[in-house]
Amino acid sequence: MANFRELLKATKAQIREVTPEQAERDQGRATFLDVREADEFDQGTIPGAVFIPRGFLELQVEGKIPDKDTPVVVYCAGGARSAFAARDLAELGYTDVVSMAGGFNQWKNEGRNWVTPQSLSAEQRNRYQRHLLLPEVGEAGQQKLLASKVLLLGAGGLGSPAALYLAAAGVGTIGIIDMDVVDASNLQRQILHNMDRIGDRKVDSAKKTLTALNPDVNVVTYDVRLGADNVLEIIDGYDLIVDGTDNFPTRYLVNDASLLKRIPVVHGSIFRFEGQATVFAPYEGPCYRCLIPEPPPPELAPSCAEAGVLGVLPGIVGSIQAIEAIKVLLGLGEPLIGRLLAYDSLEQSFRTFKVNRDPNCPACGPDAGELVIAEYDELCLPHAVLADGSTVGH
């Protein structure tokens, strides 16, 4: 014990310490760094603090505090661990680090503001541990995913891999709209379903698969045809839409509705051996009408039901859609906003094309008129639309 006291005294001589009162004055300017253990953090912390347990400091700090000139206030329970942490941060090159004397206990005892953070359960920490190891995601990002709501348009070829990976990643609410039933011909690519569910409603089959994969996920099903009469109501409240539809009327309908509600759309499409993906961020990047101002005639837009599709292809494109969805939800990297990613499975090649907003776009251009949500079947009715109005999915 004497040796520890001497070591602590020597360490404090190498660093700067501040009182909780002095530290409080730096809120808003400095980054507060909590180096206690997870069970301590779960019981209370200073609002906005970055949490890194002392044992993981050297491994994680550069990911969570990348600017080494950032003012940092380090604290623990009583001021000992934070002193050692402040010394180690200085050795790592951080130039403006102080340790808070008295730690969180003194901060709390003096009546300063603190909060009980939302925390993951032990089961969730185990399930999402590979996410928690990523500084760009971490516990805060995982909690954000659990609080997110994503609507999938279709439980078919593209919707299947997108749904599986979003559910596995812990997206808390996944809505699925599809009015079709599982058919044996779907199973070559629509991996949400299986032989035992042939004849079942696709949304019911999808819900069984996703809830079995991750009980954290709330799956909301819409066994209806998406139309002008219900699209605004259905998409309302969702943070993001993953579009796996295969017909132009629905794409134009969703485009206009998403612009009105300002909900990003992760778009994907497939045909034979090729696929495409992009992200439509309302009024930030181009919309679907900027990309395709007018629908092609039906004879130039055959569906997968007519032209065929390689079964593995939607797995690749749908997985890309899932990645883009998570990037948008967490603000990671550079989503495919203003870029169209084209994939050719025969060449095994990816190409990226820049797509600009159209200043004359009738939907999102500066001179665009009032958006009217309407049906577009008469303009671009593909052969894949059935007599009852439902569509054949990818």
Side-chain angles (χ1 to χ4, degrees), residues 184-363:
S185 65
N186 302 147
L187 303 182
Q188 164 248 19
R189 64 205 175 280
Q190 299 181 16
I191 56 176
L192 275 172
H193 318 294
N194 58 47
M195 287 292 294
D196 292 338
R197 299 183 192 161
I198 290 175
D200 290 358
R201 308 304 299 181
K202 280 189 178 178
V203 290
D204 295 336
S205 173
K207 184 170 184 174
K208 290 177 183 177
T209 300
L210 299 180
T211 53
L213 175 64
N214 189 350
D216 285 343
V217 178
N218 175 35
V219 180
V220 182
T221 60
Y222 304 89
D223 192 356
V224 296
R225 175 185 181 272
L226 190 66
D229 60 334
N230 62 11
V231 63
L232 291 176
E233 179 183 356
I234 289 175
I235 71 173
D236 189 42
Y238 283 96
D239 301 306
L240 182 140
I241 297 168
V242 175
D243 180 10
T245 60
D246 68 349
N247 65 87
F248 287 99
T250 304
R251 290 171 185 165
Y252 286 110
L253 177 70
V254 170
N255 178 78
D256 297 351
S258 67
L259 286 172
L260 276 175
K261 293 289 187 177
R262 295 181 179 267
I263 301 174
V265 177
V266 179
H267 170 79
S269 61
I270 53 176
F271 181 73
R272 290 173 55 80
F273 301 97
E274 300 175 357
Q276 297 179 340
T278 189
V279 175
F280 298 120
Y283 304 104
E284 178 182 349
C287 75
Y288 188 73
R289 290 183 184 273
C290 294
L291 188 67
I292 305 178
E294 294 184 0
E299 61 271 15
L300 295 181
S303 70
C304 291
E306 299 167 306
V309 62
L310 186 67
V312 181
L313 179 65
I316 297 169
V317 177
S319 296
I320 291 172
Q321 287 181 278
I323 291 174
E324 291 300 305
I326 290 173
K327 285 164 60 180
V328 172
L329 292 172
L330 298 184
L332 297 177
E334 297 183 14
L336 290 171
I337 299 171
R339 294 182 296 148
L340 178 69
L341 181 67
Y343 172 63
D344 186 324
S345 64
L346 294 183
E347 292 182 359
Q348 202 63 279
S349 64
F350 288 92
R351 296 181 177 88
T352 304
F353 302 93
K354 188 173 181 180
V355 183
N356 296 315
R357 287 185 66 182
D358 181 359
N360 299 314
C361 177

Side-chain angles (χ1 to χ4, degrees), residues 26-81:
D26 274 340
Q27 279 191 303
R29 182 186 77 89
T31 295
F32 279 61
L33 175 59
D34 188 333
V35 295
R36 297 173 299 158
E37 295 304 310
D39 59 337
E40 299 174 283
F41 176 80
D42 290 344
Q43 295 174 29
T45 189
I46 296 173
V50 173
F51 171 57
I52 307 175
R54 176 66 191 86
F56 294 93
L57 182 65
E58 289 82 0
L59 292 173
Q60 297 183 8
V61 67
E62 292 182 349
K64 294 190 176 182
I65 309 178
D67 185 354
K68 293 188 176 181
D69 293 325
T70 300
V72 180
V73 176
V74 192
Y75 69 91
C76 60
R81 283 172 289 176

Side-chain angles (χ1 to χ4, degrees), residues 121-177:
S121 67
E123 292 79 8
Q124 289 174 325
R125 288 182 185 279
N126 184 52
R127 176 183 288 273
Y128 306 118
Q129 61 174 300
R130 298 303 190 276
H131 276 177
L132 304 184
L133 292 172
L134 295 172
E136 297 84 354
V137 181
E139 183 156 344
Q142 189 59 57
Q143 288 177 346
K144 191 169 185 179
L145 286 178
L146 287 164
S148 296
K149 298 180 178 181
V150 173
L151 177 64
L152 293 168
L153 305 184
L158 293 175
S160 288
L164 284 166
Y165 274 111
L166 291 175
V171 172
T173 299
I174 295 179
I176 303 177
I177 180 167

